[in-house]
Amino acid sequence: MGRSGGGGGEGSGAGGPGPGLRAHLGALLRAPPRAPLLLSVLLLGTYFFYCLSGPCAAARPPSQPAAPPATRAPQPPSWAPRPGRLLPAAAAEPEDPPEPEAQRGGAGTPGGGGLPLASSFGSRRFPQALIVGVKKGGTRALLEFLRVHPDVRALGAEPHFFDRCYNKGLAWYRSLMPRTLDGQITMEKTPSYFVTKEAPRRIHNMSQDTKLIVVVRNPVTRAISDYTQTLSKNPSIPSFQALAFRNGSSGLVDTAWSAVRIGIYAKHLDNWLQYFPLSHFLFVSGERLVSDPAGEMGRVQDFLGLKRVVTDKHFYFNETKGFPCLKKPEGSSRPRCLGKSKGRPHPHIEEHVVQRLREFYRPFNLKFYQMTGQDFGWD
Ligand SMILES: Nc1ncnc2c1ncn2[C@@H]1O[C@H](COP(=O)(O)OS(=O)(=O)O)[C@@H](OP(=O)(O)O)[C@H]1O
């Protein structure tokens, strides 16, 4: 499943057959008539292959109910951010994979339950809370920490419903969710929602009571982390510096590059505030999630109206990884850190490049502190 590096797009998985499929079907239809059975089998196989391998396929529901189209709402305001320049490699990056335990057991499997019993009790509900961003902010860590809480049931994979898969309909989206009992909260995380101009309106359309969590991180470090991810998939991309500035380091900062654009938090938040009041948001510091995970989890649990169950007893600092890890993740009794793609070393970026980006972000950061009433200390 590809990711867009933060830019939103309408789901493309449910449209008509693409050129590849048309060519394939054409070839099959020209086959000799004496092979009707083989032809039918191939046609069916081709149909299922193309239908199920689209950008929404990683989050397939256990059964496919007839999904009514999602309700239409007024067009978004014209000033909303436009999709920026994407690196080819970024567009082909795989999703943030669910952590292994989540894949094996419960709620990581779309529609699954953590315990065998959970598969037959409770009901699938729309998420009452979403982690909407930001990409490379620490969203996977937050979700895995939250899943330890017995009153949180979360989808492990990123469903990308409100950016790429919206045309699958709200019933499809709900069918992905794990079953919950009364009093439990359903959650999912898709970091690209924060920079998708249609996402706030669509989420508001699902429920205007949705609680929204945004994990934010120093935008300069975030951009380097984003670049590191792209570089890991495609080592031949240009240097960070060449991508960050329009004409080498002497030029203007290139805000069309998604790695830069995502970090202009104030601008993206402005779009969300057209639909949700500030009281619906919790801004989690990506830095404090690493330096004081229990403290930040206390704030998150309070915001979600949960008992403070996840505390410092749940974490240990793994010296080798250099990050806090869980003593007992959901569905496991063994300690576990996040996977290799989380907390990886960044390439060295020259100080003058970092400095110029810091200066670029400063006014946007100050605006963001003002809007949220929180100083994240990035300057
Ligand atoms: N406990 C723990 N373990 C490992 N990594 C941690 C942790 N807490 C936060 N982080 C930081 O999370 C960064 C990845 O962010 P995301 O999970 O939001 O990335 S993604 O958008 O879903 O790809 C990742 O970024 P990089 O350091 O650049 O790899 C980490 O810095």
Side-chain angles (χ1 to χ4, degrees), residues 238-266:
S239 69
F240 180 86
Q241 174 170 343
L243 291 164
F245 304 107
R246 287 213 184 118
N247 292 313
S249 58
S250 58
L252 292 172
V253 171
D254 192 347
T255 54
W257 185 31
S258 67
V260 166
R261 187 173 48 86
I262 292 170
I264 309 176
Y265 303 142

Side-chain angles (χ1 to χ4, degrees), residues 3 93-97 131 133-142 145 158 189-192 215 217 221-222 224-226 228-229 286-287 289-291 293 315-316 321-326 337-346:
R3 72 179 296 149
E93 277 165 18
E95 287 305 318
D96 169 45
I131 300 173
V134 300
K135 185 184 177 194
K136 307 320 289 178
T139 56
R140 174 57 59 189
L142 177 60
F145 297 168
E158 293 177 6
K189 79 116 176 162
T190 304
S192 48
V215 189
R217 179 183 188 186
T221 330
R222 198 219 68 79
I224 298 171
S225 170
D226 204 335
T228 306
Q229 175 167 309
E287 286 81 12
L289 199 59
V290 176
S291 63
F315 300 99
Y316 73 99
K321 176 94 180 159
F323 281 88
C325 299
L326 282 169
C337 298
L338 295 189
K340 281 201 299 255
S341 67
K342 306 293 174 185
R344 57 187 153 198
H346 296 170

Side-chain angles (χ1 to χ4, degrees), residues 113-128:
L115 300 165
L117 276 179
S119 59
S120 50
F121 286 101
S123 43
R124 301 185 200 283
R125 296 166 224 250
F126 290 120
Q128 294 91 345

Side-chain angles (χ1 to χ4, degrees), residues 352-370:
H352 71 99
V353 173
V354 172
Q355 191 54 37
R356 284 212 45 212
L357 276 180
R358 254 190 229 131
E359 281 157 22
F360 165 79
Y361 280 120
R362 189 167 295 124
F364 297 111
N365 290 345
L366 291 177
K367 183 84 199 329
F368 185 66
Y369 299 168
Q370 199 181 46

